[in-house]
Each structure stands twice: as C-alpha cells, then as structure tokens.
C-alpha cells in the first residue's frame, strides 16, 4: 500500500458478515482511486451487490476518459446495471432486494484537485487546516434534516430512521437521470486529506472525534485503524469501512515581508515639550472607521441569523398546515375511511418522511373520499402496488401539493378514474413506476407569477418518461 492512501474494512461487533468493500489504488495511472461501497439487502445479497459494484467501477475507470465527472457517473451507472442484471438472472431469493450505496473519488495529487460521485449515505470528508468538512450530502431524509440544520449531528446519529435512504444502486430507478448521482470537484491542496467512510463509522462517532484522530501524529494506516477501533468501541453496530487519501506534497511556506518603516507617534498625549521648551503637537490617533461600522453591521447580521434559526426550529416542530391552491375549493368530508385516516396521519407527522401504503392484499384498492393535502418539503409515498380510486361522489384530485413542497416522490402506485390525480403548486414531483388509468388529467402543475410584471422562462418539453416494460 502506498504511503499516501490506505483502505480498511471491518465486520464490526454485531454483524456476522461484511457487506462493505472498498477501492484504494492508483487507477487510472494519473489518479488515486478511493471508493467505499456499502451493500444493502440483508445477508448474502448486500455482499454480492457490493462486489458487483466494485468490479464494474474498476472496469469502467480502467478505460479512462478526458471528462472525469462523466467517467465517474458512467462507472456508477454501470455498477447499478450490473446489480439489476444479476437480480434478473438468478433464482436465489436472497438477491431479490440487493442494492448498494457508494462514494467514489479520484484524487489528482499533481494537479491539486479531486473529483467525486456519490449515491446513498456513505460519505466523503475533506480535512484541511485541521478542520473536517463534509463534502457529500446524505441521500436520506434524516441526512436532509441534518444538512439543513433541523437536526444536530448527535440527534441524527440517534434518529430511528437514520438508515432509511431514498437512493441506491440496484433499485429499479433511473440512475442515469440528471439529478440522481451527486457529483463535484474541488481543490486538493498539499496537506489536505480525504476521508471516505460507510455509515458504520458515522453512526458511531461524531465529526469531532474523527477530526481528532485524523489530526494526530500517527501514520495514515494507524489513523484508519484508530477510526475503526473507535467505532467498535462505541458499539460497532454495523460494518465499518474507511479509505484515506493524503496530498503529501510539501506545503509551501511564504516568508513574512518586513513592513516599511514608519514614524511612530506617542499615544499618551497629543503634545509634548522638546529640549528648547517649545511645544510639539503630534497628529491625533486615527480611529478605525471600518471597524466602527463593521461592529453594528455584524451584530445585526448575527441577530438576524439567530432569528432565522429559531424560525426554522419552530417550523420543524409544528405540525404542517394543509394549504389549498388559490381557486380550488372542494367540500370537506368528515367520514374518511380507515385507510385514508392512516395515510393522512402518517403524512402529517412532523418528522415522517417516508409513508408506506398497505392496501388490501387481493384488490390493492384504496378509496379516496376527499383530497389529501401535502405541505412538506420532502416526502416519499411508497404505494406497494396500491390502486387509488375516488369514492363515487368525489370529483377532486387525490393529492394537492402546496408550494412548500420541494421533493415529493410517488412510488409504485396507480391512480384510477380521477378527473385530476395530482394538483401541484410549483413543486418538484418525482414519479417512480406510477400508472394513470382513465385519468382525464394525470397531473396539474400550477405556477404563480407576480401581477402585472413581465415573466420570462422555460418549461421543459419532457419532464417524465414512460416505461412500457415495468410491471
């Protein structure tokens, strides 16, 4: 193993098999390749998915390319396809739900730069000047809340849904979609260090502990081992994988330049007596006008920041209100059926970010007797094959999404016999294996613009794609 990169994986204290794997090698020649892969899908399946993904990534990166970001994305797309192909071509039931999450980085030491691609909740950190910076965003709802300041790191580590992710390789989803794979590039300066790790590390120890270990005087191998040992000491509830990459080029040190000499005036008085008895008046001390202006400005900004944080905290704690788009009025129905009430209760829970429908195992039908309103920034509704249909007297949409919604996913369900299935108000809607059967208008998208002001813009020609092979 080279002195400037190292990888290590450990089963942990509570698992009997290791579903993690990693890459730490010079591949292609110009780059150090660092990758952490965490398998999902239970015993055997997750381990197979991680191995398939590793092989696909290595094979793709070996070919090289001028566009590094495109090469990283292609390697992850190929890895996902390999897992899906294996699921289709095997009779082993242990492989039915296998998938994996991955964080991949290419470090260019000579060019002082690194590139990365990421799917899931494995992580990439950058250590610079003894400060540890989280680069990737966890593609999970708990990670979303933490990244937006609604949960502290400690609260996120203890959250019961911290391991529920919404993106992975091997899921039956469009991995090649523009926003599915998180990518980026950044300077990688002499003395910088990259840390890639699975959630078996970050669920056990916080960033302060990780930074303290990385800033120690140990070798790179010893630091990796110390991180794993700390996670095991904290409980070792999952497999633990760590990859470290160090830019070991010599750091440039700039010599301080001696300032030009200048006349120094006494500060104890504005006048003094010289040898001849004459008074000499010295210039008064100048006040720093910029500093005097900066203090109240910074104070005002600090107060505004504190007020904004308090408002965000209160917003996360209070139950969301159901907002209806302007111009849309439907009668209230008080006698909702049990399935509707359970669905609404789940949607309206403040921290609930994933809702799973449990329809009748035979008919799969869920009757909607009145519109269900959603006013959350993020939510996944997994239908589990459910078929939503309106009650005989109901003519409105099944769901109305307010402009508070930023990321709403409807997954594996059908809308049947609605005049309008979903009414969205400037909302980011994601459809996964959703069918519209005998719906006059599947989705109504409502936009609001300022009155009397000219508007310029563009609405995409094709927001969705159909898949005739999906079942």
């Amino acid at each position: 193993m080279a002195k400037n990169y190292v990888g290590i994986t450990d089963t942990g204290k509570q698992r009997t098999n290791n579903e993690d794997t990693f890459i730490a090698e010079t591949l292609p020649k110009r780059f150090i390749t660092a990758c952490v892969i965490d398998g999902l899908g239970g015993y055997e399946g997750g381990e197979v998915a991680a191995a398939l993904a590793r092989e696909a990534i290595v094979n793709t990166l070996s070919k090289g390319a001028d566009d590094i970001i495109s090469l990283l994305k292609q390697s992850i797309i190929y890895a996902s396809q390999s897992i899906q192909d294996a699921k289709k071509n095997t009779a082993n039931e242990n492989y039915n739900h296998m998938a994996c999450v991955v964080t991949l980085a290419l470090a260019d030491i000579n060019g002082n730069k690194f590139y990365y691609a990421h799917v899931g909740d494995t992580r990439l950190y950058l250590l610079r000047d003894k400060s540890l910076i989280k680069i990737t965003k966890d593609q999970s709802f708990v990670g979303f809340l933490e990244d937006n300041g609604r949960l502290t790191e400690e609260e996120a580590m203890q959250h019961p849904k911290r391991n529920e992710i919404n993106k992975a390789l091997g899921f039956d989803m469009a991995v090649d979609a523009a926003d599915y794979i998180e990518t980026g590039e950044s300077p990688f300066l002499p003395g910088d260090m990259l840390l890639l790790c699975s959630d078996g590390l970050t669920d056990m120890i916080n960033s302060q502990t990780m930074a303290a270990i990385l800033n120690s005087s140990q070798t790179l191998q010893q630091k990796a081992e110390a991180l794993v040992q700390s996670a095991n000491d904290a409980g070792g509830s999952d497999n633990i994988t760590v990859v470290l990459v160090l830019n070991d080029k010599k750091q440039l040190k700039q010599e301080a330049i001696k300032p030009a000499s200048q006349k120094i005036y006494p500060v104890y008085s504005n006048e003094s007596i010289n040898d001849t008895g004459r008074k000499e008046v010295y210039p008064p001390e100048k006040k720093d006008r910029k500093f005097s202006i900066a203090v109240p400005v910074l104070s005002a900004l600090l107060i505004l920041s504190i007020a904004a944080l308090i408002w965000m905290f209160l917003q996360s704690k209070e139950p969301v209100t159901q907002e209806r788009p302007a111009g849309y009025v439907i009668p209230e129905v008080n006698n909702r059926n049990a399935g509707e009430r359970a669905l609404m209760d789940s949607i309206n829970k403040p921290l609930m970010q994933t809702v799973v429908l449990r329809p009748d195992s035979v008919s799969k039908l869920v009757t909607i007797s009145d519109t269900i309103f959603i006013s959350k920034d993020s939510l996944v509704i997994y239908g589990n094959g459910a078929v939503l249909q309106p009650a005989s007297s109901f003519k409105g949409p099944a769901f109305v999404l307010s402009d508070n919604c930023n990321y709403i996913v409807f997954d594996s369900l059908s809308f049947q016999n609605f005049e309008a299935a979903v009414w969205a108000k400037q909302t980011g809607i994601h459809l996964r294996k959703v069918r519209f059967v005998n719906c006059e208008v599947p989705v109504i998208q409502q936009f609001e613009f300022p009155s009397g002001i000219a508007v310029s813009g563009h609405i995409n020609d094709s927001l969705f794609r159909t898949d005739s092979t999906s079942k």
Side-chain angles (χ1 to χ4, degrees):
M1 185 68 70
K3 65 178 181 179
N4 62 341
Y5 62 86
V6 64
I8 184 173
T9 186
D10 187 85
T11 304
K13 286 190 172 182
Q14 299 183 27
R15 298 291 181 92
T16 58
N17 68 312
N18 194 342
E19 297 180 344
D20 287 3
T21 188
F22 68 89
I23 304 169
E25 54 186 277
T26 51
L27 177 79
K29 295 180 181 178
R30 169 177 151 210
F31 297 100
I32 296 174
T33 300
C35 182
V36 168
I37 305 170
D38 185 353
L40 311 172
Y43 183 77
E44 189 176 355
E47 193 170 348
V48 172
L52 289 170
R54 186 188 191 283
E55 181 182 9
I57 290 171
V58 170
N59 290 340
T60 306
L61 293 181
S62 299
K63 300 173 183 178
D66 293 331
D67 188 339
I68 303 304
I69 295 296
S70 295
L71 178 64
L72 293 174
K73 292 182 69 174
Q74 188 57 46
S75 67
I76 288 181
I77 292 170
Y78 181 39
S80 183
Q81 291 173 346
S82 298
I83 297 171
Q84 291 190 46
D85 290 344
K87 291 162 71 172
K88 294 176 182 177
N89 297 326
T90 182
N92 191 333
E93 293 183 356
N94 292 329
Y95 298 167
N96 288 345
H97 303 290
M98 68 179 180
C100 69
V101 292
V102 59
T103 299
L104 171 62
L106 294 182
D108 182 2
I109 302 294
N110 293 331
N112 292 330
K113 201 167 188 178
F114 72 88
Y115 308 80
Y116 67 91
H118 163 73
V119 174
D121 61 352
T122 48
R123 292 183 179 181
L124 169 64
Y125 291 88
L126 171 66
L127 183 75
R128 175 175 293 167
D129 296 330
K130 297 187 176 182
S131 296
L132 192 62
I133 305 163
K134 183 170 174 279
I135 302 296
T136 54
K137 295 183 180 297
D138 292 353
Q139 292 166 345
S140 66
F141 288 117
V142 172
F144 175 84
L145 294 174
E146 180 184 358
D147 289 337
N148 285 275
R150 300 187 184 186
L151 292 177
T152 66
E153 182 182 20
E154 287 70 22
E155 288 172 338
M157 290 170 65
Q158 300 300 321
H159 199 284
K161 295 183 179 295
R162 65 187 181 277
N163 299 123
E164 292 186 8
I165 58 173
N166 50 42
K167 291 184 181 180
L169 308 189
F171 284 178
D172 188 13
M173 298 177 183
V175 182
D176 55 348
D179 62 344
Y180 198 90
I181 303 173
E182 179 190 358
T183 60
E185 56 186 84
S186 177
F188 189 43
L189 307 180
D192 286 356
M193 185 187 302
L194 297 179
L195 162 65
L196 293 84
C197 58
S198 63
D199 61 350
L201 180 74
T202 54
D203 281 351
M204 292 291 102
I205 61 175
N206 60 28
S207 56
Q208 290 83 1
T209 302
M210 290 188 285
I213 293 173
L214 296 177
N215 285 315
S216 68
S217 59
Q218 302 177 93
T219 66
L220 212 59
Q221 178 71 32
Q222 290 170 337
K223 291 177 181 179
E225 293 172 352
L227 289 169
V228 171
Q229 186 60 50
S230 294
N232 275 324
D233 290 344
S237 62
D238 199 355
N239 308 143
I240 309 157
T241 302
V242 169
V243 175
L244 300 177
V245 181
L246 172 67
N247 187 336
D248 57 351
K249 292 199 306 187
K250 187 176 180 180
Q251 292 178 277
L252 298 177
K253 293 184 179 180
Q254 184 175 354
E255 293 185 4
I257 301 175
K258 184 178 180 181
S261 60
Q262 56 183 351
K263 186 173 182 179
I264 301 176
Y265 297 102
V267 297
Y268 50 84
S269 174
N270 286 339
E271 59 181 31
S272 65
I273 307 296
N274 63 14
D275 293 339
T276 63
R278 295 177 59 188
K279 283 187 178 181
E280 291 187 351
V281 180
Y282 297 97
E285 181 181 4
K286 292 184 179 180
K287 294 184 178 180
D288 192 340
R289 184 171 177 272
K290 292 182 179 179
F291 179 77
S292 64
I293 295 175
V295 170
V297 172
L298 291 175
S299 299
L301 290 175
L302 179 60
I303 293 172
L304 289 174
S305 299
I306 293 173
L309 289 173
I310 293 173
W311 180 84
M312 290 175 64
F313 175 79
L314 293 176
Q315 287 291 102
S316 68
K317 297 297 182 182
E318 294 179 359
V320 294
T321 58
Q322 294 190 337
E323 178 184 352
R324 302 187 178 194
Y328 178 76
V329 179
I330 60 173
E332 289 289 346
V333 176
N334 296 321
N335 57 340
R336 291 187 184 264
N337 59 62
E340 280 184 287
R341 288 196 298 271
L343 176 58
M344 291 179 63
D345 290 344
S346 298
I347 290 174
N348 290 329
K349 288 182 180 178
L351 293 180
M352 180 68 74
Q353 302 294 336
T354 302
V355 175
V356 180
L357 295 180
R358 304 192 184 280
D360 181 87
S361 60
V362 179
S363 66
K364 296 286 186 180
L365 290 177
V366 176
T367 300
I368 303 297
S369 56
D370 192 5
T371 296
I372 297 174
F373 295 87
I374 301 176
S375 184
K376 283 188 171 182
D377 52 6
S378 300
L379 183 69
V380 171
I381 298 179
Y382 180 70
N384 204 21
V387 177
L388 275 60
Q389 65 175 12
S392 58
S393 60
F394 177 54
K395 303 299 182 183
F399 294 97
V400 167
L401 282 53
S402 79
D403 53 3
N404 294 330
C405 303
N406 292 317
Y407 183 77
I408 306 299
V409 180
F410 294 100
D411 191 338
S412 302
L413 55 84
S414 298
F415 294 89
Q416 181 173 288
N417 299 329
F418 287 94
E419 291 185 3
V422 179
W423 186 330
K425 192 175 180 182
Q426 302 180 177
T427 298
I429 305 176
H430 298 255
L431 303 180
R432 300 173 184 163
K433 296 190 292 185
V434 173
R435 294 176 179 270
F436 297 95
V437 181
N438 195 28
C439 293
E440 185 175 341
V441 181
V443 177
I444 297 176
Q445 190 83 23
Q446 175 181 323
F447 296 91
E448 292 185 354
F449 301 105
S451 176
I453 299 177
V455 175
S456 300
H458 173 70
I459 298 176
N460 291 340
D461 297 328
S462 178
L463 300 175
F464 303 99
R465 68 179 186 179
T466 58
D467 183 4
S468 61
T469 63
S470 65
K471 297 181 180 180

